[in-house]
Amino acid sequence: ANVVNATGVWADRIRPHEIHDEAEVPWIAPSRGTHITVSTDDLPIGRAACIVPAGEDRTIFALPWYGRTLIGTTDREYEGDLDHPSPSADDIEYLLDAVNSFFGVELDRSRITGAYAGVRPLISSGDPKRSVDISRKAELYETSSGMLTITGGKLTTCHPKPIVIGKRREHTQGCGHTTRAVIPTKGGYLAVCRNCDMAGQFPRFNA
């Protein structure tokens, strides 16, 4: 049986030394995304979802959301509490400035009806990149103990992740090989065997 570590931004904290080597799991580079809501009276966009230029070669969105207008998101390196991330003042001002400039309005913090933040589990490559420049792809790792760790990715890839894990387990149980790495490829995933160090002995695990 395999233990599956699918703990998102906490993935690199599941690393007891008696179970596996720390070098076998990814390092997470957390990125905070902040969102705010305002009254539709203050920003009446109707039913449309708008892509808003926000400087720094980035865009944000504004869309109708449960009777409010939702504005987001930011993408900043984050080193705070993972359990309770809070919107930062700088992020809120960044969103307001972008919306004010694009729509020609004058919203300030007093017009905000709500704000929240989340943390993305980006996989660090070791390079000193801004969080906005780090890849969003999901990765699957297996430790020498057999624990599977899947992390990274975005909300749009959450459904294929269990399929990838299930396919990998089925194949390992069938041939006895142990996966060292799973490499995303066009049309699926290519596994590399830990024992023989050969790629191509495994089928692509289509998600």
Side-chain angles (χ1 to χ4, degrees), residues 53-184:
E56 302 178 6
D57 295 323
R58 295 202 65 240
T59 58
I60 62 172
F61 60 78
L63 52 84
W65 188 258
Y66 292 99
R68 296 286 188 270
T69 299
L70 175 66
I71 303 165
T73 179
T74 60
D75 196 336
R76 311 281 191 187
E77 293 83 356
Y78 181 67
E79 298 180 352
D81 181 11
L82 295 179
D83 294 334
H84 303 285
S86 299
S88 73
D90 288 345
D91 281 355
I92 290 174
E93 290 301 322
Y94 170 79
L95 295 174
L96 289 174
D97 287 346
V99 168
N100 287 337
S101 175
F102 184 76
F103 290 102
V105 294
E106 297 182 358
L107 301 179
D108 58 27
R109 293 175 65 91
S110 68
R111 310 309 300 173
I112 294 175
T113 59
Y116 66 94
V119 183
R120 305 175 186 88
L122 305 184
I123 300 173
S124 174
S125 63
D127 295 331
K129 294 181 177 179
R130 298 181 304 163
S131 64
V132 70
D133 297 324
I134 298 177
S135 171
R136 265 55 178 169
K137 68 181 179 180
E139 297 283 359
L140 177 64
Y141 302 80
E142 183 178 7
T143 67
S144 55
S145 68
M147 184 174 77
L148 299 174
T149 294
I150 189 162
T151 191
K154 302 176 69 174
L155 180 62
T156 50
T157 61
C158 67
H159 292 296
K161 287 180 181 180
I163 299 173
V164 172
I165 293 172
K167 291 290 187 180
R168 198 223 61 82
R169 289 191 67 246
E170 288 175 7
H171 185 79
T172 299
Q173 292 171 355
C175 74
H177 285 225
T178 304
T179 305
R180 186 183 70 185
V182 173
I183 305 168

